[in-house]
Amino acid sequence: MKIPAWLENAIFYEIYPQSFMDSNNDGIGDFKGIIQKLDYIKELGCNAIWMNPCFDSPFGDAGYDVADYYKAAPRYGTNDDLKLLFEEVHKRGMHILLDLVPGHTSTEHKWFKESLKAEKNEFSDRYVWTDSIWEEPEGMGCIRGISDRDGSCAVNFFSHQPALNYGFYNPNPEKKWQQPMDAPGPQATLQAMKDVMAFWLKMGCDGFRVDMAGSLVKHDENSKGTISLWQNVREFLDKEFPDAAMISEWGEPDKSILGGFHMDFLLHFGPSHYNDLFRCEQPYFSSRGKGTAFEFIKKYKENYEKSDKKGLICIPSGNHDMDRLARHLSVEEMKVAFAFLLTMPGAPFIYYGDEIGMRYVENLISVEGGYGRTGSRSPMQWDNSTNAGFSLAPKEKLYIPQDESSDRPTVESQMKDENSLWKEIQKLIKVRQETPLLQNLAEIEFLSDGSTYPLVYQRIEKSTQEKITVILNPSEKECSYKIEDGQIICSNSSKAKIDKKDGKIFVPPVSYAIVKNQ
Ligand code: NOJ
């Protein structure tokens, strides 16, 4: 499979549209607001954007409950505004992925409303329905008793998100409602989703981040059915939109890459041990120095091997589903964490606001199905003006309350401060952009196992044996590491030094060094 050339060096910025920039002062972010801030994203150094769902929706799950796949949510703007956003992104040499939610819709979607009817119609098989109200689709949760249709409809996530029907990998012959993947209902669902993709790709988006990509086919032994479904989608894309980029929220790169995805996200749940790094009682990147990255690296290596040693695993700084990085790490610790995130293979993803260490807003009442996630979704803090420059709406109309602390970080102040997290990230991105060996597809070899400090790995060009060594010391004790020769090309400390006589590099507390080997 060919990876679109731009993806080889893409550094993504995740935009949660409702909280990024409000251009019409209604308290909610919008497309025009995003357009106003594209130059900002470019100045940080990111060259690609992933935008969370922006389609018409009752917003019971912040837009992951789509009511119309073909219509931009009016609160963000029109389809024409979205098209303009694509154009403005491209004008700046950047790319943008939309968020495709193929596993479920909102109960407000017209497909679902039709499928609720007792009389058989075009949409009766669009969702996973049992054929009696008294039978539940086991292990899936369901919606039932809300219409005359005699059946229960499986749900995919929240109970207002009915599961679209892509069929069962191993349908039980005694349960006729479990349709095989090639039955007309599942085939029509798949075609409908391809039509949605074609619509937005023609409009100018560059591809999709795919929500719960591994969840489509039910009772799917080893995901075989879902893999073949995505292979089928890739074939269609290769014919009609060969440059469309696909990145999955799946967390099992051996499966997703086989399914034709270009890259896969590392997930904060499941077996990845991602949380050991930044989000647990003793994170590895905390200066307390009591954490371990051992299990993380073990798992990462397994997945790396399984995905052909390519940089196909994307490690995000955070996202709209996790706590803010700043809830667990100090600014100085975050600098070392970003040195890791920006020197690993796979496309890095920076969650809006993480570049200034935006804090998790504690004790909020859930907004739009956010629950504990709400505190990570507060409006962006641009400057010291009204509502931190996000919106001129009265404060109580803001989509989510902002961080009220007097020392809340802002973009404006950090862009002026040479020692800020923002400047550190800008510097790291620049080094990555200038150094092909640090980019998404160059190989990695770990020189330490993550059980101690420092964490050391090399990015390698096998053909020329060119190497870059990354030494990360999040701990409060100075570390050293044996190194033959080389030159430090980036560090957050002027005291990081290579002692050629000793053949060692010394890395001060809470610092990192990126070394070009000679
Ligand atoms: C994963 C998304 O990231 C999350 O925000 C959403 O609630 C679920 N999928 C359901 O679509």
PDB file of all heavy atoms in Angstrom, residues 5-7 9-12 38-39 41-42 45-49 85-96 206 433:
ATOM      1  N   ALA A   5       2.330  10.928  -0.002  1.00  0.00           N
ATOM      2  CA  ALA A   5       3.637  11.510   0.332  1.00  0.00           C
ATOM      3  C   ALA A   5       3.539  12.474   1.519  1.00  0.00           C
ATOM      4  O   ALA A   5       4.405  12.480   2.403  1.00  0.00           O
ATOM      5  CB  ALA A   5       4.197  12.220  -0.889  1.00  0.00           C
ATOM      6  N   TRP A   6       2.479  13.257   1.599  1.00  0.00           N
ATOM      7  CA  TRP A   6       2.405  14.269   2.670  1.00  0.00           C
ATOM      8  C   TRP A   6       2.326  13.632   4.050  1.00  0.00           C
ATOM      9  O   TRP A   6       2.736  14.232   5.039  1.00  0.00           O
ATOM     10  CB  TRP A   6       1.246  15.233   2.440  1.00  0.00           C
ATOM     11  CG  TRP A   6      -0.131  14.617   2.498  1.00  0.00           C
ATOM     12  CD1 TRP A   6      -0.833  14.094   1.470  1.00  0.00           C
ATOM     13  CD2 TRP A   6      -0.963  14.466   3.667  1.00  0.00           C
ATOM     14  NE1 TRP A   6      -2.051  13.630   1.903  1.00  0.00           N
ATOM     15  CE2 TRP A   6      -2.157  13.852   3.247  1.00  0.00           C
ATOM     16  CE3 TRP A   6      -0.826  14.799   5.019  1.00  0.00           C
ATOM     17  CZ2 TRP A   6      -3.196  13.552   4.134  1.00  0.00           C
ATOM     18  CZ3 TRP A   6      -1.865  14.501   5.896  1.00  0.00           C
ATOM     19  CH2 TRP A   6      -3.033  13.888   5.445  1.00  0.00           C
ATOM     20  N   LEU A   7       1.832  12.389   4.090  1.00  0.00           N
ATOM     21  CA  LEU A   7       1.662  11.716   5.383  1.00  0.00           C
ATOM     22  C   LEU A   7       3.009  11.280   5.976  1.00  0.00           C
ATOM     23  O   LEU A   7       3.143  11.101   7.177  1.00  0.00           O
ATOM     24  CB  LEU A   7       0.744  10.501   5.182  1.00  0.00           C
ATOM     25  CG  LEU A   7      -0.072  10.001   6.363  1.00  0.00           C
ATOM     26  CD1 LEU A   7      -0.851  11.104   7.047  1.00  0.00           C
ATOM     27  CD2 LEU A   7      -1.023   8.888   5.905  1.00  0.00           C
ATOM     28  N   ASN A   9       5.511  12.988   6.365  1.00  0.00           N
ATOM     29  CA  ASN A   9       6.062  14.013   7.241  1.00  0.00           C
ATOM     30  C   ASN A   9       4.962  14.863   7.882  1.00  0.00           C
ATOM     31  O   ASN A   9       5.160  16.028   8.180  1.00  0.00           O
ATOM     32  CB  ASN A   9       7.030  14.903   6.454  1.00  0.00           C
ATOM     33  CG  ASN A   9       7.752  15.848   7.385  1.00  0.00           C
ATOM     34  OD1 ASN A   9       7.919  15.549   8.565  1.00  0.00           O
ATOM     35  ND2 ASN A   9       8.147  16.999   6.877  1.00  0.00           N
ATOM     36  N   ALA A  10       3.794  14.240   8.064  1.00  0.00           N
ATOM     37  CA  ALA A  10       2.683  15.013   8.640  1.00  0.00           C
ATOM     38  C   ALA A  10       2.836  15.112  10.151  1.00  0.00           C
ATOM     39  O   ALA A  10       3.167  14.134  10.820  1.00  0.00           O
ATOM     40  CB  ALA A  10       1.366  14.338   8.297  1.00  0.00           C
ATOM     41  N   ILE A  11       2.609  16.304  10.670  1.00  0.00           N
ATOM     42  CA  ILE A  11       2.514  16.505  12.117  1.00  0.00           C
ATOM     43  C   ILE A  11       1.138  17.128  12.343  1.00  0.00           C
ATOM     44  O   ILE A  11       0.847  18.228  11.876  1.00  0.00           O
ATOM     45  CB  ILE A  11       3.632  17.439  12.628  1.00  0.00           C
ATOM     46  CG1 ILE A  11       4.997  16.818  12.323  1.00  0.00           C
ATOM     47  CG2 ILE A  11       3.467  17.708  14.122  1.00  0.00           C
ATOM     48  CD1 ILE A  11       6.183  17.607  12.814  1.00  0.00           C
ATOM     49  N   PHE A  12       0.279  16.371  13.021  1.00  0.00           N
ATOM     50  CA  PHE A  12      -1.129  16.769  13.117  1.00  0.00           C
ATOM     51  C   PHE A  12      -1.410  17.647  14.325  1.00  0.00           C
ATOM     52  O   PHE A  12      -0.785  17.496  15.383  1.00  0.00           O
ATOM     53  CB  PHE A  12      -2.020  15.529  13.229  1.00  0.00           C
ATOM     54  CG  PHE A  12      -2.243  14.837  11.916  1.00  0.00           C
ATOM     55  CD1 PHE A  12      -1.363  13.844  11.486  1.00  0.00           C
ATOM     56  CD2 PHE A  12      -3.321  15.167  11.107  1.00  0.00           C
ATOM     57  CE1 PHE A  12      -1.559  13.193  10.278  1.00  0.00           C
ATOM     58  CE2 PHE A  12      -3.524  14.508   9.898  1.00  0.00           C
ATOM     59  CZ  PHE A  12      -2.643  13.526   9.477  1.00  0.00           C
ATOM     60  N   LEU A  38      -5.532  29.364  11.186  1.00  0.00           N
ATOM     61  CA  LEU A  38      -4.669  28.426  10.438  1.00  0.00           C
ATOM     62  C   LEU A  38      -3.210  28.880  10.430  1.00  0.00           C
ATOM     63  O   LEU A  38      -2.292  28.059  10.513  1.00  0.00           O
ATOM     64  CB  LEU A  38      -5.176  28.259   9.003  1.00  0.00           C
ATOM     65  CG  LEU A  38      -6.486  27.474   8.858  1.00  0.00           C
ATOM     66  CD1 LEU A  38      -6.918  27.453   7.395  1.00  0.00           C
ATOM     67  CD2 LEU A  38      -6.343  26.055   9.390  1.00  0.00           C
ATOM     68  N   ASP A  39      -3.014  30.195  10.329  1.00  0.00           N
ATOM     69  CA  ASP A  39      -1.619  30.670  10.304  1.00  0.00           C
ATOM     70  C   ASP A  39      -0.929  30.363  11.631  1.00  0.00           C
ATOM     71  O   ASP A  39       0.273  30.101  11.665  1.00  0.00           O
ATOM     72  CB  ASP A  39      -1.564  32.169  10.006  1.00  0.00           C
ATOM     73  CG  ASP A  39      -1.932  32.447   8.558  1.00  0.00           C
ATOM     74  OD1 ASP A  39      -1.698  31.556   7.711  1.00  0.00           O
ATOM     75  OD2 ASP A  39      -2.480  33.526   8.278  1.00  0.00           O
ATOM     76  N   ILE A  41      -1.506  27.719  13.495  1.00  0.00           N
ATOM     77  CA  ILE A  41      -1.141  26.284  13.512  1.00  0.00           C
ATOM     78  C   ILE A  41       0.122  26.084  12.682  1.00  0.00           C
ATOM     79  O   ILE A  41       1.037  25.335  13.038  1.00  0.00           O
ATOM     80  CB  ILE A  41      -2.316  25.435  12.973  1.00  0.00           C
ATOM     81  CG1 ILE A  41      -3.524  25.572  13.904  1.00  0.00           C
ATOM     82  CG2 ILE A  41      -1.924  23.963  12.819  1.00  0.00           C
ATOM     83  CD1 ILE A  41      -4.812  24.965  13.381  1.00  0.00           C
ATOM     84  N   LYS A  42       0.164  26.808  11.579  1.00  0.00           N
ATOM     85  CA  LYS A  42       1.346  26.704  10.709  1.00  0.00           C
ATOM     86  C   LYS A  42       2.596  27.243  11.418  1.00  0.00           C
ATOM     87  O   LYS A  42       3.680  26.680  11.299  1.00  0.00           O
ATOM     88  CB  LYS A  42       1.079  27.469   9.412  1.00  0.00           C
ATOM     89  CG  LYS A  42       2.087  27.127   8.385  1.00  0.00           C
ATOM     90  CD  LYS A  42       1.728  27.504   6.990  1.00  0.00           C
ATOM     91  CE  LYS A  42       2.969  27.163   6.195  1.00  0.00           C
ATOM     92  NZ  LYS A  42       2.863  27.250   4.819  1.00  0.00           N
ATOM     93  N   GLY A  45       4.155  24.904  13.518  1.00  0.00           N
ATOM     94  CA  GLY A  45       4.927  23.947  12.711  1.00  0.00           C
ATOM     95  C   GLY A  45       4.097  22.778  12.211  1.00  0.00           C
ATOM     96  O   GLY A  45       4.564  21.972  11.399  1.00  0.00           O
ATOM     97  N   CYS A  46       2.859  22.648  12.717  1.00  0.00           N
ATOM     98  CA  CYS A  46       2.030  21.525  12.265  1.00  0.00           C
ATOM     99  C   CYS A  46       1.629  21.753  10.812  1.00  0.00           C
ATOM    100  O   CYS A  46       1.395  22.893  10.390  1.00  0.00           O
ATOM    101  CB  CYS A  46       0.783  21.403  13.137  1.00  0.00           C
ATOM    102  SG  CYS A  46       1.179  20.886  14.813  1.00  0.00           S
ATOM    103  N   ASN A  47       1.564  20.666  10.070  1.00  0.00           N
ATOM    104  CA  ASN A  47       1.218  20.793   8.652  1.00  0.00           C
ATOM    105  C   ASN A  47      -0.023  19.970   8.304  1.00  0.00           C
ATOM    106  O   ASN A  47      -0.313  19.746   7.132  1.00  0.00           O
ATOM    107  CB  ASN A  47       2.413  20.392   7.768  1.00  0.00           C
ATOM    108  CG  ASN A  47       2.924  19.007   8.133  1.00  0.00           C
ATOM    109  OD1 ASN A  47       2.256  18.262   8.848  1.00  0.00           O
ATOM    110  ND2 ASN A  47       4.101  18.661   7.641  1.00  0.00           N
ATOM    111  N   ALA A  48      -0.713  19.489   9.310  1.00  0.00           N
ATOM    112  CA  ALA A  48      -1.923  18.702   9.048  1.00  0.00           C
ATOM    113  C   ALA A  48      -2.884  18.862  10.224  1.00  0.00           C
ATOM    114  O   ALA A  48      -2.456  19.145  11.353  1.00  0.00           O
ATOM    115  CB  ALA A  48      -1.558  17.229   8.857  1.00  0.00           C
ATOM    116  N   ILE A  49      -4.155  18.656   9.914  1.00  0.00           N
ATOM    117  CA  ILE A  49      -5.201  18.853  10.929  1.00  0.00           C
ATOM    118  C   ILE A  49      -6.111  17.638  10.954  1.00  0.00           C
ATOM    119  O   ILE A  49      -6.439  17.081   9.903  1.00  0.00           O
ATOM    120  CB  ILE A  49      -6.030  20.120  10.583  1.00  0.00           C
ATOM    121  CG1 ILE A  49      -5.178  21.373  10.804  1.00  0.00           C
ATOM    122  CG2 ILE A  49      -7.325  20.208  11.401  1.00  0.00           C
ATOM    123  CD1 ILE A  49      -5.777  22.638  10.233  1.00  0.00           C
ATOM    124  N   LEU A  85     -12.811  26.151   4.295  1.00  0.00           N
ATOM    125  CA  LEU A  85     -11.769  25.725   5.244  1.00  0.00           C
ATOM    126  C   LEU A  85     -10.781  24.784   4.543  1.00  0.00           C
ATOM    127  O   LEU A  85      -9.559  24.953   4.655  1.00  0.00           O
ATOM    128  CB  LEU A  85     -12.406  25.046   6.465  1.00  0.00           C
ATOM    129  CG  LEU A  85     -11.449  24.354   7.441  1.00  0.00           C
ATOM    130  CD1 LEU A  85     -10.453  25.337   8.047  1.00  0.00           C
ATOM    131  CD2 LEU A  85     -12.210  23.664   8.575  1.00  0.00           C
ATOM    132  N   PHE A  86     -11.300  23.819   3.771  1.00  0.00           N
ATOM    133  CA  PHE A  86     -10.389  22.907   3.045  1.00  0.00           C
ATOM    134  C   PHE A  86      -9.452  23.725   2.140  1.00  0.00           C
ATOM    135  O   PHE A  86      -8.255  23.487   2.097  1.00  0.00           O
ATOM    136  CB  PHE A  86     -11.166  21.923   2.155  1.00  0.00           C
ATOM    137  CG  PHE A  86     -12.104  20.999   2.884  1.00  0.00           C
ATOM    138  CD1 PHE A  86     -13.204  20.439   2.235  1.00  0.00           C
ATOM    139  CD2 PHE A  86     -11.897  20.670   4.207  1.00  0.00           C
ATOM    140  CE1 PHE A  86     -14.073  19.582   2.892  1.00  0.00           C
ATOM    141  CE2 PHE A  86     -12.762  19.812   4.886  1.00  0.00           C
ATOM    142  CZ  PHE A  86     -13.854  19.271   4.223  1.00  0.00           C
ATOM    143  N   GLU A  87     -10.045  24.689   1.442  1.00  0.00           N
ATOM    144  CA  GLU A  87      -9.233  25.475   0.498  1.00  0.00           C
ATOM    145  C   GLU A  87      -8.158  26.287   1.223  1.00  0.00           C
ATOM    146  O   GLU A  87      -7.009  26.363   0.780  1.00  0.00           O
ATOM    147  CB  GLU A  87     -10.144  26.418  -0.316  1.00  0.00           C
ATOM    148  CG  GLU A  87     -10.961  25.647  -1.344  1.00  0.00           C
ATOM    149  CD  GLU A  87     -12.167  26.432  -1.868  1.00  0.00           C
ATOM    150  OE1 GLU A  87     -12.287  27.643  -1.565  1.00  0.00           O
ATOM    151  OE2 GLU A  87     -12.991  25.820  -2.577  1.00  0.00           O
ATOM    152  N   GLU A  88      -8.548  26.879   2.337  1.00  0.00           N
ATOM    153  CA  GLU A  88      -7.587  27.704   3.084  1.00  0.00           C
ATOM    154  C   GLU A  88      -6.460  26.832   3.666  1.00  0.00           C
ATOM    155  O   GLU A  88      -5.313  27.254   3.737  1.00  0.00           O
ATOM    156  CB  GLU A  88      -8.293  28.480   4.201  1.00  0.00           C
ATOM    157  CG  GLU A  88      -9.233  29.568   3.685  1.00  0.00           C
ATOM    158  CD  GLU A  88      -8.503  30.707   2.988  1.00  0.00           C
ATOM    159  OE1 GLU A  88      -7.374  31.039   3.405  1.00  0.00           O
ATOM    160  OE2 GLU A  88      -9.053  31.251   2.001  1.00  0.00           O
ATOM    161  N   VAL A  89      -6.826  25.628   4.072  1.00  0.00           N
ATOM    162  CA  VAL A  89      -5.810  24.687   4.579  1.00  0.00           C
ATOM    163  C   VAL A  89      -4.815  24.383   3.453  1.00  0.00           C
ATOM    164  O   VAL A  89      -3.594  24.462   3.619  1.00  0.00           O
ATOM    165  CB  VAL A  89      -6.492  23.393   5.091  1.00  0.00           C
ATOM    166  CG1 VAL A  89      -5.500  22.262   5.258  1.00  0.00           C
ATOM    167  CG2 VAL A  89      -7.215  23.656   6.420  1.00  0.00           C
ATOM    168  N   HIS A  90      -5.352  24.074   2.281  1.00  0.00           N
ATOM    169  CA  HIS A  90      -4.487  23.698   1.149  1.00  0.00           C
ATOM    170  C   HIS A  90      -3.621  24.860   0.679  1.00  0.00           C
ATOM    171  O   HIS A  90      -2.465  24.665   0.317  1.00  0.00           O
ATOM    172  CB  HIS A  90      -5.337  23.153  -0.005  1.00  0.00           C
ATOM    173  CG  HIS A  90      -6.015  21.869   0.363  1.00  0.00           C
ATOM    174  ND1 HIS A  90      -7.197  21.457  -0.180  1.00  0.00           N
ATOM    175  CD2 HIS A  90      -5.661  20.898   1.264  1.00  0.00           C
ATOM    176  CE1 HIS A  90      -7.549  20.294   0.360  1.00  0.00           C
ATOM    177  NE2 HIS A  90      -6.636  19.942   1.234  1.00  0.00           N
ATOM    178  N   LYS A  91      -4.195  26.056   0.715  1.00  0.00           N
ATOM    179  CA  LYS A  91      -3.416  27.240   0.316  1.00  0.00           C
ATOM    180  C   LYS A  91      -2.140  27.365   1.128  1.00  0.00           C
ATOM    181  O   LYS A  91      -1.146  27.913   0.679  1.00  0.00           O
ATOM    182  CB  LYS A  91      -4.249  28.503   0.634  1.00  0.00           C
ATOM    183  CG  LYS A  91      -4.864  29.179  -0.553  1.00  0.00           C
ATOM    184  CD  LYS A  91      -5.349  30.544  -0.098  1.00  0.00           C
ATOM    185  CE  LYS A  91      -6.628  30.863  -0.837  1.00  0.00           C
ATOM    186  NZ  LYS A  91      -7.376  31.951  -0.199  1.00  0.00           N
ATOM    187  N   ARG A  92      -2.194  26.894   2.349  1.00  0.00           N
ATOM    188  CA  ARG A  92      -1.032  26.997   3.239  1.00  0.00           C
ATOM    189  C   ARG A  92      -0.160  25.743   3.183  1.00  0.00           C
ATOM    190  O   ARG A  92       0.701  25.530   4.051  1.00  0.00           O
ATOM    191  CB  ARG A  92      -1.509  27.230   4.678  1.00  0.00           C
ATOM    192  CG  ARG A  92      -2.114  28.613   4.845  1.00  0.00           C
ATOM    193  CD  ARG A  92      -2.889  28.714   6.138  1.00  0.00           C
ATOM    194  NE  ARG A  92      -3.368  30.072   6.370  1.00  0.00           N
ATOM    195  CZ  ARG A  92      -4.455  30.592   5.785  1.00  0.00           C
ATOM    196  NH1 ARG A  92      -5.161  29.887   4.930  1.00  0.00           N
ATOM    197  NH2 ARG A  92      -4.817  31.841   6.043  1.00  0.00           N
ATOM    198  N   GLY A  93      -0.428  24.887   2.203  1.00  0.00           N
ATOM    199  CA  GLY A  93       0.394  23.674   2.056  1.00  0.00           C
ATOM    200  C   GLY A  93       0.100  22.645   3.132  1.00  0.00           C
ATOM    201  O   GLY A  93       0.926  21.779   3.434  1.00  0.00           O
ATOM    202  N   MET A  94      -1.074  22.749   3.762  1.00  0.00           N
ATOM    203  CA  MET A  94      -1.427  21.810   4.835  1.00  0.00           C
ATOM    204  C   MET A  94      -2.511  20.848   4.347  1.00  0.00           C
ATOM    205  O   MET A  94      -3.057  21.021   3.256  1.00  0.00           O
ATOM    206  CB  MET A  94      -1.925  22.590   6.058  1.00  0.00           C
ATOM    207  CG  MET A  94      -0.879  23.541   6.627  1.00  0.00           C
ATOM    208  SD  MET A  94      -1.597  24.823   7.667  1.00  0.00           S
ATOM    209  CE  MET A  94      -1.837  23.935   9.172  1.00  0.00           C
ATOM    210  N   HIS A  95      -2.825  19.855   5.179  1.00  0.00           N
ATOM    211  CA  HIS A  95      -3.860  18.872   4.843  1.00  0.00           C
ATOM    212  C   HIS A  95      -4.828  18.717   6.007  1.00  0.00           C
ATOM    213  O   HIS A  95      -4.477  19.019   7.143  1.00  0.00           O
ATOM    214  CB  HIS A  95      -3.218  17.520   4.498  1.00  0.00           C
ATOM    215  CG  HIS A  95      -2.418  17.566   3.235  1.00  0.00           C
ATOM    216  ND1 HIS A  95      -1.116  17.998   3.199  1.00  0.00           N
ATOM    217  CD2 HIS A  95      -2.760  17.270   1.959  1.00  0.00           C
ATOM    218  CE1 HIS A  95      -0.680  17.963   1.950  1.00  0.00           C
ATOM    219  NE2 HIS A  95      -1.657  17.520   1.172  1.00  0.00           N
ATOM    220  N   ILE A  96      -6.012  18.196   5.685  1.00  0.00           N
ATOM    221  CA  ILE A  96      -7.010  18.058   6.762  1.00  0.00           C
ATOM    222  C   ILE A  96      -7.786  16.739   6.658  1.00  0.00           C
ATOM    223  O   ILE A  96      -8.231  16.357   5.574  1.00  0.00           O
ATOM    224  CB  ILE A  96      -7.963  19.281   6.789  1.00  0.00           C
ATOM    225  CG1 ILE A  96      -8.995  19.139   7.919  1.00  0.00           C
ATOM    226  CG2 ILE A  96      -8.653  19.523   5.446  1.00  0.00           C
ATOM    227  CD1 ILE A  96      -9.711  20.444   8.269  1.00  0.00           C
ATOM    228  N   ASP A 206      -8.865  15.619   2.834  1.00  0.00           N
ATOM    229  CA  ASP A 206      -7.733  14.783   2.413  1.00  0.00           C
ATOM    230  C   ASP A 206      -7.810  13.359   2.945  1.00  0.00           C
ATOM    231  O   ASP A 206      -6.892  12.572   2.716  1.00  0.00           O
ATOM    232  CB  ASP A 206      -6.421  15.424   2.888  1.00  0.00           C
ATOM    233  CG  ASP A 206      -6.220  16.780   2.243  1.00  0.00           C
ATOM    234  OD1 ASP A 206      -6.026  16.825   1.025  1.00  0.00           O
ATOM    235  OD2 ASP A 206      -6.312  17.800   2.960  1.00  0.00           O
ATOM    236  N   GLN A 433      11.072  18.482  11.200  1.00  0.00           N
ATOM    237  CA  GLN A 433      10.827  18.820   9.782  1.00  0.00           C
ATOM    238  C   GLN A 433      12.126  18.870   8.980  1.00  0.00           C
ATOM    239  O   GLN A 433      12.149  18.550   7.804  1.00  0.00           O
ATOM    240  CB  GLN A 433      10.112  20.179   9.648  1.00  0.00           C
ATOM    241  CG  GLN A 433       8.742  20.251  10.316  1.00  0.00           C
ATOM    242  CD  GLN A 433       7.655  19.498   9.561  1.00  0.00           C
ATOM    243  OE1 GLN A 433       7.959  18.620   8.760  1.00  0.00           O
ATOM    244  NE2 GLN A 433       6.400  19.808   9.854  1.00  0.00           N
TER     245      GLN A 433
END
